[in-house]
Amino acid sequence: MAPVDAELVGRCLLVVEDDYLVASDLASTLQEYGAEVIGPVGTVEGALALIDEEGENLAAAVLDINLHGERAFGIADVLNARHVPFVFVTGYSAGSIPTPYADHPRCDKPVDMRQLVRVLRELTAAGWPD
Amino acid sequence: MSEKAHAASGITGAAPTNAAPASESEQTYRQLFQAIDTGFCVIEVIFDAAGRPIDYVFRDANPAFEGQTGLADAIGKRIRVLAPGHEEFWFETYGRIVRTGLPERFEHQADALGRWYSVYAFRIGRPEQHRLAVLFDDIKGRRSAEEALRHSEERQVFLLKLSDTIRFRTDPMTIQQAAARLLGEHLDVSRAFYFAVRRDADGYVHVVERDYFSRPDLPSMVGEYPQKAYGENFFSALARGEAAVMADIRVAPGVTEDALRLYSAARVRAWISMPLIKRGNFTAGLVLVHDQPRYWTSAEVGLVKDVAERTWAAVEQARAEAALRATEERFRQFAEASSGALWIRDADTLSMEYASQAITGIYGVEPEILLGDVKRWAAVIVPDDRDVALEHLEQARRGEAAVHEFRIQRPSDRAFRWVRNTNFPLFDESRRVQRIGGIAEDVTDAKLAVEHQGVLLAELQHRVRNIMAIIRSITSRTGERAESVQDYATLMAGRLLALARVQALLTRAANAGVGITALVHDEVNVQAQCEGQFALEGPEISLSPKAAEILTLAVHELSTNALKYGALSVRSGKITVRWSTFDKRGGTWLSFDWTEEGRLLGQSTLNAPRRRGFGTELIEGRIPYELGGRGQLDIRPEGATCHLEFPLKAGGSVLETGAPQRATVFGGALDMTGEPDLSGRRVLVVEDDYYLAADVARALKGAGAEVMGPCATEAAVLIELNECGADAAVLDINLGPGPSFGLATTLKEQHTPFMFLTGYDLKAIPEEFADIERLEKPVQLRHIIGVIADLIRAEEVSCNRRQC
C-alpha cells in the first residue's frame, strides 16, 4: 500500500505503545516502510527489556508517553544514555510534558504516519547529535 | 501733707460766710491748697433727729476738687443731690469722725461718682459745727489694675480647673456638661447651657437639647427658641460673633409683652449668650442665665467666651477622637474578620507595623513574629522568589499598587505555600508614601486546583486523541474486512456505539469502578431479540477502566457475531456467559466464558475468516497485549465459544488520571524532596549573611536535620558547641572582617566533619584544609545537603575504623 521508502529499510525500530490497535497499526506501517519493528510493547518494563536485548541494533524508537498510567520518561532516559534517538507519539500537548522532554520530537495522536516516517528518517539519518 | 492740713485747720476751712481776716501763713496755705492736685474740701455733716448722719454739704473746695470728683458747682450743695446712691459708708464714716474728733484714713469706692478714693478726713472748727476737712485722691486707675489682676488670677485658676475637668473626657456631652456646671457654679448663675443653631425661614432658632446646669427649682430649658419670638434685637450680635448681654429683660427697651411673658415663664431675666462661629457659620452657643437682674462684668463675659471656645475645641477633639476610634474599631473588626491578612509597613524602613490575626493562618506564626524588620518576613520566602517579593515592596514605596505571588516555607510546618500579596501605597497629606498596606492571601489551594484542572484538561485532550487513534484503527480494520458498504456502515456504527458506551461508563464518576454484570448485560441485551436468550452467571466484580473497555468491546463483537451468525440469529438460540475469579501468579484473575448453543442456520461457516476477524484480533491480540491475559475464540458450526482470562487490577475512573500531578507546591531551591535524609543529624550552620543563613538552615531542616545556630560569630558557635556536639557543620570562612580558620581548626580537632561556604578561591585556604569540600557562593542548597550527607557517612566509616 504505502510506498516503500528506502531510508527506513533495515532500520531496527522499537515501538512502545500500550494501545493494541494503535500499536499494531504503527508496527505494520513501519514494516511497510521497510523497517524491522521491535515490539510493539506496551509496558515500561517490557520496553526496557527489549532495549537491553537489542543493544546496538536499535536505530530509533517510537514512544507513547502514557503506558497504562505509567510514564515513559524512564525509557526516554535510557535511550538518551544509549544515544538512541526517539520520537514521542502521544495525545499530550507540549505544555503537559515535563521540561526536559518538552522540546523532543513529537507526533500527536492520531498519528499522521507520513509525518512519523519523515521524523524517523531524519532521526536515523542524522544520527544522534552530541 | 496731713501735717500741713492740720496746720491749715480753722483757717482754710473757714467758710466764706464767716470769713476772718487771713493771716500771712493762712494765705500761704491757701495758695498751697489752690495749687495741689489732691482734692480738698470742707464738708458739713447733717444728722437727722435720731442723730444719724444722713447727708453732708460741701462748704469749700480747692480747684482740684472738680477734677477729682467730676462735680461742678458743688459748694453749698448736698452730696445726696449731687450723687444719689452714694454709699452709706461715707455718711457713717464722716458722722463718726464728727462725733469722735478722731481723724481717719481709708480707701473706698464711690460708685455713684464712678471713683475710688484714698481719703484723709479730720474735724475742723467747733464740734457743733459738724465740719470736716477732707483730703482725697482718686485711685480708680490703681484699683482697676489691682482688680484686673485679681480677676485674671481667678480666671486662670478657673480655666485650669476647667481644663483639668474636661481633659480626660472623651464624650462630647460630658465635656459640655462638666464645663457648664463649673461655669454656672463659679459665676453663681441659675443656668448654664449650650444650644445649637438652626436657621429657618424666620431666622435663627436656638435648639437646647438638655439643661446641662440648672438650679433644681427652675423649669427645664430644653426646647426650641426662635429668636423672633424672644426679640431678635437682643441677639443680633450673635451672628457677628459677639456676645449678647442682658442685665434685666424687664427694663430692657423694645421688649414686647409676649416676649416678656415667655421670659417670665422660663424665669429668665439676665443672660450672657456667647456664639460659636465655626467655618464662618453661627453654629452653636453657650448661655448663662440668671433669674434675677444681673449686671455682668466684662470679665464675666470674657470668661464665658473663653469657656465656650475651650469646650468647643475639646468637644470637637472628642468628636474627632470618637470618630477615629469608630474608624479604628471598624478597621479592626474588618481586619479581624477578613480571611485575607491585612498588614501595614512603614514606607521608610519597610518595618511591619501591623498584621492582622489572619496572618497566622497563612504564615503559621503569630503576627508578632513577623512585625518589625522586613527581613523577618523576607526570610520566610523561598530564595527563588525573595528578590521579586522585595522589589514589589519597593514598587509600592514608589507609589504603585501591585499584586504578586510568591512561595513561602511556612515556619510552623515547613510546608511550601503560595501567597498572593496585594501591596498598595498609603499616602500622607502631602501625597508622600508614608506606609505600605497589604492584603495577603494563601492561594495554594487555588493554585493547586488550577494546576489540577490543567492536568485534567491535558488528560482529556490525551484521551480524546487516543480515542481518535483507536477509531482510526477500527475504521481501517473494519474497512479491510467489510463485505459491502452497508456491512461496513453497520459494523462501524455498532463499534462506535460500543465505544461510546464504554466512555459513558468510564467517565460516569470519579473513583467508581465498573461492574461486570451490568456491562455484559447491556452489551448482550442490545443485540438479543428477546429476554431469556441469554444467561449471565458470575459474581459482581469491579473492573478497572482498561478491562472494562476491552471487555465491552469484546462482548460487543461476540454478540454482534451471534446476532449475525450465531445463537442470537435464531429464536431457539441461547448464550450463556459465566465468569468467576481464580488465583494465578499471586494475583486474582478473571475467568470469562462465552458459550452459544441452539440449532443454528449454518451460515456461521460463512464466517470462517479468510483473515483474522476484528473480534478475533480483539480477543486474541488485544487482551494479552493490554491486559496481560489471554483470550481464545472458537467459531464452530454449533456456535461460538470464547474463553478470556486476565488479572484484575484496581482502578478508578479515567478521571482519576495517572497524569503527572503534584498535590504540593514545589519549594524551589528549598525543596528537599528526593534529597538525602538527614533525620536525627545535628548540623551546625555558621554564616553571617542573614538570608543565606536562614535558607541553609531551612534546607537542612527540610532534609530532616536538626540545625544548630545559624551562628553569625565565632563566639556564638563556641556557645552552641559547648551545649552539644554537631554531626557536621557548614562553615562560612568569611565572618566579619576577613577569612578565619579558627573554627575549622576547632572542628577538625573534635572530628566534626565540615564544609566551607566561601567566595574565596583556593589560594586563600590553608594547606591543612585544602581537601575540605568547598562550595562557592551562590550555592545550590541541594548541594549542601548532598555534601553534608556524604560527610556524615564518611565520618561514620572512619569513626568505626578509629574504634577498631
Side-chain angles (χ1 to χ4, degrees), chain A residues 17-25 40-42 66 68-69 71 90-93 96 108-113, chain B residues 458-459 461-462 465-466 468-470 472-474 476-477 546 549 612 614 617 621-622 625-626 657-660:
Chain A
E17 163 63 59
D18 67 341
D19 187 279
Y20 171 81
L21 297 176
V22 177
S24 55
D25 280 357
V41 63
N66 185 338
H68 300 301
R71 306 287 110 179
T90 179
Y92 290 114
S93 52
S96 44
D108 290 336
K109 283 186 183 176
V111 178
D112 175 344
M113 292 299 180
Chain B
E459 202 55 25
Q461 187 187 29
H462 164 249
R465 287 178 173 180
N466 264 340
M468 297 312 281
I470 291 167
R472 196 183 65 171
S473 214
I474 291 173
S476 64
R477 280 173 168 73
K546 187 48 100 180
E549 178 183 340
R612 202 156 76 137
F614 183 80
E617 188 182 11
R622 202 172 172 191
Y625 191 82
E626 295 189 22
T657 164

Side-chain angles (χ1 to χ4, degrees), chain B residues 402-464:
Chain B
V403 178
H404 67 113
E405 293 176 350
F406 52 90
R407 286 163 294 175
I408 61 165
Q409 188 175 27
R410 205 160 53 188
S412 55
D413 57 1
R414 291 208 293 279
F416 295 107
R417 306 291 292 179
W418 275 101
V419 177
R420 177 185 294 145
N421 252 9
T422 306
N423 299 354
F424 46 87
L426 297 171
F427 299 100
D428 63 10
E429 298 83 356
S430 60
R431 294 294 294 167
R432 195 184 68 90
V433 179
Q434 189 179 29
R435 294 196 164 79
I436 301 169
I439 303 167
E441 295 162 275
D442 185 328
V443 292
T444 311
D445 292 343
K447 271 197 124 46
L448 289 177
V450 167
E451 257 173 48
H452 187 63
Q453 197 101 48
V455 166
L456 283 182
L457 205 61
E459 202 55 25
L460 181 65
Q461 187 187 29
H462 164 249
R463 186 146 187 91
V464 168

